[in-house]
Amino acid sequence: MSYGQKHKKIQILSCDLSYVDVCISEGIVIDEGACLLLPDEFNGYIYADTTADGNCLYNAVSYFFIHKNSLSTQLRLFTILESMAYADE
């Protein structure tokens, strides 16, 4: 089987992320000190305080979706599977 072969869609994540609210909710802990370091061109952006364990991107995305880091491993797996499914492209 080629890595680039298309696979039928399967539900990998344990929750439905079809609806994503892009507003900052009350539950997100903002790192105020890090926000002060942002350049002026990124005014209005925030730094959310997440676990710094080397999975920063996946932790941040998980935290954005569900306010916990618990999806980070599944998101990493999903990224690997998508990369393999579309390797020929």
Side-chain angles (χ1 to χ4, degrees), residues 12 17-19 25 29 34 56-57 64 76-77 79-80 84-85 88:
I12 295 172
L17 302 177
S18 61
Y19 173 77
S25 69
V29 178
C56 301
L57 174 64
F64 175 77
R76 182 181 285 267
L77 173 63
T79 302
I80 292 167
M84 290 172 62
D88 293 339

Side-chain angles (χ1 to χ4, degrees), residues 4 11-12 21 27 37 49 51 53 60-61 64-65 72-73 86-87:
Q11 180 65 29
I12 295 172
D21 186 5
L37 301 173
D49 190 20
T51 306
D53 62 357
V61 172
F64 175 77
F65 283 132
S72 61
T73 302
Y86 296 98

Side-chain angles (χ1 to χ4, degrees), residues 42-59:
F42 297 110
N43 191 15
Y45 284 57
I46 64 160
Y47 277 111
D49 190 20
T50 62
T51 306
D53 62 357
N55 294 312
C56 301
L57 174 64
Y58 299 103
N59 288 339

